[in-house]
C-alpha cells in the first residue's frame, strides 16, 4: 500500500513558474507543504536539489504518493487530471488549443528569455542591463500576445472561464512589473491581469504573500 502525505511544492516566492503552480493548487483547493528554494543564492543548483530536479529549476512538485514532477505545464495538466473539479482546460478541442497556444507563448517564447540563469550569465549583477534585457523581451512577447488575446479574450484569456492560460498570464505580468515594462501598449493583458488579481486564488499565490518573501521587502503600513 502507498503511503499518502501532503503534496510538496519546492518553489521560490519570486519565481513566476512557481507562481503558476501555486495558483493552480489554490484553484483546486489542494493543501500542500511549501518548501522554499532560494534561486537568488543558487540553491536550485545544490547537489541535494539537483538529485530531485536535474534541470536545477523551480518549481518541483511531489505528489501525495511521493512521485516527482517537474515542468509547470506537466504539473498543471496532472493536477487537472487527478483533481477534475474546477477544470483548467476547456473540453472543446479548438478552445483548448487556443489555451495551449497562449500557455506556450508565455512558457516557451517569453519566459525563458528573461530567466534568472540567462540574465545572470549575460549581465552578472548589472541590474540596469538585466532590466533593459528582460523588459525588452517581455514587451516584445506581449506585443504578439496582446493581438492573440484580442481574438480569444472575454473576461479572461479565453472566453469567460478561468483556464490554464490565465494561470500563466498573471505571473508573467507580475514579472513585467518587476522588470519595469511599460504596460500602456497592452490594455487587454492589463485588464485581464487586474481582474485575475481580484480573485483570492491569484492574489494569495502572489510572491508578496509567500512565507519566503523577504522581511526587508515588506513595507511598513
Ligand atoms: N519550463 C520550466 C521553467 C522553470 C524555470 O525556468 N524556473 C526558473 C524560475 S521562474 C528557475 O528556476 N530559474 C533558475 C535558473 O535559471 O537558474 C517550467 O515550466 O517549470
Amino acid at each position: 500500500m502507498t503511503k499518502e502525505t501532503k503534496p510538496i511544492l519546492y518553489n521560490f516566492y519570486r519565481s513566476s513558474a512557481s507562481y503558476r503552480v501555486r495558483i493552480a493548487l489554490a484553484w483546486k483547493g489542494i493543501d500542500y507543504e511549501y518548501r522554499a528554494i532560494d534561486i537568488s543564492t543558487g540553491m536550485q543548483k545544490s547537489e541535494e536539489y539537483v538529485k530531485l530536479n536535474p534541470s536545477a529549476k523551480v518549481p518541483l512538485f511531489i505528489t501525495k504518493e511521493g512521485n516527482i514532477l517537474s515542468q509547470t505545464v506537466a504539473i498543471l495538466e496532472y493536477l487537472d487530471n487527478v483533481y477534475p473539479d474546477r477544470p483548467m482546460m476547456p473540453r472543446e478541442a479548438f478552445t483548448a488549443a487556443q489555451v495551449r497556444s497562449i500557455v506556450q507563448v508565455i512558457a516557451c517564447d517569453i519566459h525563458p528569455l528573461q530567466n534568472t540563469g540567462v540574465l545572470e550569465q549575460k549581465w552578472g549583477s548589472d541590474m540596469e542591463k538585466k532590466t533593459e534585457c528582460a523588459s525588452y523581451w517581455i514587451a516584445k512577447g506581449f506585443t504578439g500576445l496582446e493581438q492573440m488575446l484580442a481574438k480569444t479574450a472575454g473576461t479572461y484569456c479565453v472566453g469567460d472561464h478561468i483556464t490554464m492560460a490565465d494561470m500563466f498570464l498573471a505571473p508573467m505580468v507580475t514579472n513585467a512589473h518587476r522588470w519595469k515594462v511599460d504596460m500602456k501598449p497592452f490594455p487587454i493583458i492589463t485588464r485581464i491581469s487586474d481582474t485575475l488579481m481580484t480573485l483570492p486564488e491569484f492574489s494569495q499565490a502572489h510572491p508578496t504573500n509567500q512565507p519566503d518573501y523577504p522581511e526587508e521587502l515588506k513595507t511598513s503600513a
Side-chain angles (χ1 to χ4, degrees), residues 11-209:
N11 76 130
F12 185 48
Y13 77 93
R14 200 176 66 195
S15 145
S16 62
S18 302
Y19 186 6
R20 299 167 191 161
V21 182
R22 294 196 299 261
I23 296 168
L25 288 164
W27 184 252
K28 296 287 186 179
I30 301 166
D31 188 23
Y32 64 98
E33 185 183 328
Y34 188 110
R35 289 200 190 161
I37 297 293
D38 185 350
I39 66 170
S40 71
T41 61
M43 244 177 110
Q44 77 280 19
K45 297 179 217 155
S46 70
E47 205 182 319
E48 193 187 347
Y49 184 71
V50 171
K51 270 190 206 148
L52 290 173
N53 186 0
S55 300
K57 291 195 190 307
V58 286
L60 186 74
F61 185 69
I62 317 281
T63 70
K64 60 184 168 44
E65 295 83 11
N67 297 318
I68 301 175
L69 259 185
S70 64
Q71 293 296 332
T72 51
V73 174
I75 298 168
L76 265 63
E77 283 185 351
Y78 168 82
L79 292 175
D80 216 21
N81 286 328
V82 175
Y83 305 86
D85 285 353
R86 308 189 87 196
M88 306 190 287
M89 284 303 290
R91 283 191 174 198
E92 196 276 317
F94 185 72
T95 319
Q98 287 181 310
V99 170
R100 286 200 179 86
S101 292
I102 294 166
V103 163
Q104 288 187 32
V105 164
I106 296 170
C108 308
D109 296 354
I110 306 177
H111 177 269
L113 297 168
Q114 52 84 77
N115 208 346
T116 304
V118 173
L119 296 177
E120 271 172 13
Q121 190 274 333
K122 190 152 174 62
W123 304 113
S125 57
D126 186 336
M127 274 312 278
E128 208 174 307
K129 285 285 184 203
K130 287 206 270 194
T131 306
E132 194 186 310
C133 184
S135 63
Y136 172 83
W137 288 114
I138 297 171
K140 204 169 162 60
F142 274 7
T143 303
L145 184 60
E146 180 78 9
Q147 289 172 48
M148 286 172 82
L149 292 172
K151 296 198 179 119
T152 62
T155 307
Y156 303 114
C157 285
V158 180
D160 294 324
H161 294 285
I162 297 280
T163 65
M164 215 184 266
D166 300 294
M167 301 181 186
F168 279 66
L169 183 77
M172 201 63 247
V173 172
T174 302
N175 271 15
H177 293 151
R178 175 171 175 236
W179 294 115
K180 302 183 175 30
V181 174
D182 174 12
M183 292 298 289
K184 280 196 287 301
F186 313 118
I188 305 173
I189 294 176
T190 303
R191 172 185 60 76
I192 297 170
S193 149
D194 287 351
T195 306
L196 292 171
M197 293 318 293
T198 65
L199 306 173
E201 293 88 347
F202 285 72
S203 59
Q204 283 161 19
H206 189 271
T208 49
N209 294 324

